[in-house]
Amino acid sequence: LFYSLLDAKPPFLMWLFGLMQKIISDPLIAGRTVSVIFGLITLLGIYKTSQELFSQKLAYIASILYIVNPLFLFFDRQALLESAISACGIWAFYFLYKLVETGNRKYAFSLGLTLGIGYFIKSNTLIFLSVCFALLAYHLLKLKKERALKGIENLLFIFGVFLLTIFPLIMQEAFWTSLPQNSKYALTLSELFKFPISTWFKNISSFFEIFLVYFNPLVFVSFLTSIYLLLKSKNGVQKLFIYFSVCVFFLLFIARSINPRYVVSFLPLSTIVTALSINKIITKNIITGTLITIFIISPSIIISWLLIFQPLTYFDVLNKFSIHSQKSGYVEGWTSGYGFKEVKTYLDNISKDKKIIVGVRSDAGIPENAVFAYFLKSKNVTPIIFDSQILPPEIFDFDCIKSSVPFYFVSRDAHLTNLNKFFEDVERFYKPSGANFIGIHRLKENCQEKTLQIN
């Protein structure tokens, strides 16, 4: 259950991915379905929060801004953790706001549970936790003694619910041993005390570049206008911008680097902020305002259309404007799934009426993870790690390998971990750029030299 902790990843969402595979057998579609569900939960959070703070009309506008935004659309369709963290972040603010306004214990419970679930999914939820506690502590300073005491009780109650929720997690030894791995993504205290100005400047620059590219400049201008309107509004509504801006500040302050995947979970509230100025325009003149709104969001609609129907064009277009297009990771690199569909089809066809073994190198990415994800429960395909780093060195004393079961190797390009002399090429399935490919190889046949027989 807690295997993912070996990679410093809490397991809650992995459990949901696994449970969804009981309903949908394809692991990719199952995982993506979970993310789509969390995207819907985020959307409902945006609508509910907008309705609570402003009006139903503004709630519709904010919801539309979320739906057409290509950054949210992209990650809400990936079998990743970000969609779920977005949902936790938006609902954490909603319960925080309701708790401050009412003091009702049920909102304290909901807030603690939401933050606990978030941390059970990904450790960057600590940013939401820190901001919520900081804002609540600040709020307590302004209360009279009796109400402040009740507020302190709620604060302790939230923390208690949070700890109770993550109790199964913190009881795992692997949780504590894997904690230092977070330093790969976040600056350590000693590094922060050295004031890494250049890192902070790069983070800020990357953040605004991502915001401009994925939200489009017209939405960005609307966002800035809304900030001005928010700062002029009553204190209750200002909490929205304070929560959003402090979360982003924490992220930029502690992150080693910034990319779209790191920031997306902290941006859904920006749609509510942006909707404020757009709602102002529509309120003044509904026809003119609607036309202006369509003009503002039309670039986002076009980019999102490309993402859905012409994904390669989408990545090519974004790559011309930003280093944060994600093209290298999702089209060309070894996190890209391109080419594996053809590999799966090929292996399915040759294993219809016989058993085969499929070896991969000891690594993470595509095709290694994909081979295990799709064939681990297969009746005819047995995936194994077949890597020279873990095989006995005596294997290189042989010239050939023979297997009683047909043996294939699925590789990144032609990298067979120095085992190339034992295999011959069968097929190559190229990534869209044509530079990289996933290779299928089989043990050489009719080899007459020194041979190692394996079962």
Side-chain angles (χ1 to χ4, degrees):
L1 284 176
F2 292 89
Y3 181 77
S4 63
L5 285 175
L6 298 178
D7 191 37
K9 299 290 191 299
F12 185 76
L13 204 65
M14 312 303 170
W15 297 346
L16 297 185
F17 289 160
L19 290 172
M20 185 59 72
Q21 287 184 55
K22 301 292 184 181
I23 303 171
I24 303 172
S25 60
D26 186 299
L28 182 60
I29 297 176
R32 289 189 170 199
T33 300
V34 172
S35 291
V36 170
I37 292 171
F38 274 108
L40 176 60
I41 294 172
T42 303
L43 178 62
L44 293 174
I46 289 172
Y47 180 86
K48 188 68 176 175
T49 302
S50 304
Q51 191 180 46
E52 183 72 32
L53 268 66
F54 299 103
S55 65
Q56 188 169 9
K57 184 174 70 173
L58 190 140
Y60 286 134
I61 296 170
S63 299
I64 292 171
L65 287 171
Y66 181 80
I67 292 170
V68 303
N69 186 293
L71 187 63
F72 301 134
L73 181 65
F74 182 84
F75 283 102
D76 284 352
R77 295 161 61 240
Q78 299 297 313
L80 297 170
L81 312 179
E82 278 59 40
S83 180
I85 299 301
S86 295
C88 292
I90 189 77
W91 281 102
F93 172 76
Y94 176 80
F95 294 131
L96 173 69
Y97 177 79
K98 293 295 289 184
L99 177 62
V100 169
E101 293 295 306
T102 67
N104 194 313
R105 183 63 58 84
K106 69 178 182 181
Y107 295 117
F109 174 82
S110 299
L111 179 56
L113 181 63
T114 300
L115 293 170
I117 291 173
Y119 191 75
F120 222 126
I121 294 171
K122 195 173 184 181
S123 57
N124 63 354
T125 301
L126 282 178
I127 292 178
F128 295 129
L129 177 70
S130 302
V131 173
C132 285
F133 272 67
L135 294 179
L136 282 173
Y138 175 75
H139 175 69
L140 291 177
L141 295 175
K142 300 188 297 180
L143 297 178
K144 294 180 180 180
K145 185 176 180 180
E146 290 185 3
R147 293 191 63 193
L149 288 174
K150 184 180 179 182
I152 293 173
E153 290 177 3
N154 281 333
L155 199 62
L156 294 174
F157 185 72
I158 292 168
F159 191 62
V161 173
F162 171 79
L163 288 179
L164 189 62
T165 304
I166 67 169
F167 181 76
L169 178 66
I170 61 179
M171 289 301 293
Q172 303 298 315
E173 182 182 353
F175 168 76
W176 299 103
T177 56
S178 67
L179 273 180
Q181 293 187 44
N182 288 309
S183 61
K184 292 187 295 184
Y185 312 104
L187 296 168
T188 62
L189 281 176
S190 60
E191 289 172 321
L192 289 172
F193 283 128
K194 293 178 182 177
F195 295 95
I197 304 296
S198 60
T199 298
W200 293 338
F201 180 79
K202 289 178 182 178
N203 287 351
I204 294 170
S205 176
S206 295
F207 174 79
F208 282 106
E209 181 180 335
I210 292 167
F211 207 119
L212 276 170
V213 169
Y214 287 96
F215 284 65
N216 90 57
L218 298 175
V219 171
F220 181 68
V221 171
S222 301
F223 173 77
L224 296 178
T225 304
S226 294
I227 292 176
Y228 172 75
L229 296 174
L230 271 175
L231 295 178
K232 289 178 61 180
S233 65
K234 58 184 180 180
N235 291 334
V237 176
Q238 286 182 356
K239 292 182 177 68
L240 172 72
F241 177 64
I242 293 172
Y243 177 87
F244 167 77
S245 58
V246 176
C247 284
V248 170
F249 171 79
F250 265 75
L251 174 68
L252 301 181
F253 182 72
I254 67 173
R256 289 195 176 278
S257 62
I258 291 296
N259 63 41
R261 184 175 173 182
Y262 291 171
V263 304
V264 64
S265 299
F266 299 89
L267 294 179
L269 274 175
S270 68
T271 60
I272 303 176
V273 177
T274 305
L276 184 63
S277 61
I278 295 176
N279 182 59
K280 201 88 172 177
I281 296 171
I282 295 176
T283 301
K284 287 185 177 180
N285 188 307
I286 188 168
I287 297 177
T288 304
T290 301
L291 292 174
I292 292 174
T293 300
I294 294 172
F295 176 72
I296 290 172
I297 67 174
S298 58
S300 296
I301 295 174
I302 293 170
I303 295 174
S304 293
W305 185 92
L306 288 174
L307 170 60
I308 296 171
F309 298 104
Q310 298 288 335
L312 293 178
T313 303
Y314 161 84
F315 284 109
D316 286 338
V317 170
L318 286 186
N319 201 47
K320 293 177 181 178
F321 294 96
S322 174
I323 61 172
H324 298 290
S325 67
Q326 306 181 91
K327 181 178 179 180
S328 61
Y330 290 95
V331 176
E332 299 170 346
W334 297 114
T335 48
S336 161
Y338 282 101
F340 188 77
K341 181 180 179 181
E342 293 81 358
V343 170
K344 181 181 181 299
T345 299
Y346 182 90
L347 295 177
D348 281 336
N349 288 335
I350 63 174
S351 64
K352 280 183 179 179
D353 54 1
K354 63 182 178 182
K355 295 183 181 297
I356 64 171
I357 298 172
V358 177
V360 293
R361 60 190 266 172
S362 177
D363 208 339
I366 307 295
E368 296 81 22
N369 293 139
V371 166
F372 277 91
Y374 276 96
F375 295 111
L376 192 60
K377 297 180 180 180
S378 172
K379 293 181 179 179
N380 287 347
V381 180
T382 302
I384 65 168
I385 299 295
F386 197 70
D387 192 310
S388 61
Q389 295 183 38
I390 61 175
L391 291 171
E394 290 78 14
I395 194 171
F396 290 103
D397 294 336
F398 295 89
D399 301 298
C400 309
I401 297 177
K402 285 188 177 181
S403 172
S404 56
V405 178
F407 195 111
Y408 293 81
F409 191 98
V410 179
S411 68
R412 302 182 183 190
D413 291 334
H415 304 307
L416 282 75
T417 71
N418 297 321
L419 299 171
N420 302 61
K421 70 175 184 176
F422 300 117
F423 293 90
E424 58 186 7
D425 288 357
V426 176
E427 290 284 352
R428 292 184 176 186
F429 300 104
Y430 283 85
K431 304 284 183 179
S433 63
N436 302 106
F437 62 87
I438 301 177
I440 299 180
H441 318 264
R442 66 186 171 205
L443 290 176
K444 288 181 179 178
E445 298 178 352
N446 302 319
C447 184
Q448 303 300 319
E449 300 178 56
K450 189 176 181 181
T451 301
L452 172 65
Q453 179 72 43
I454 59 176
N455 295 325

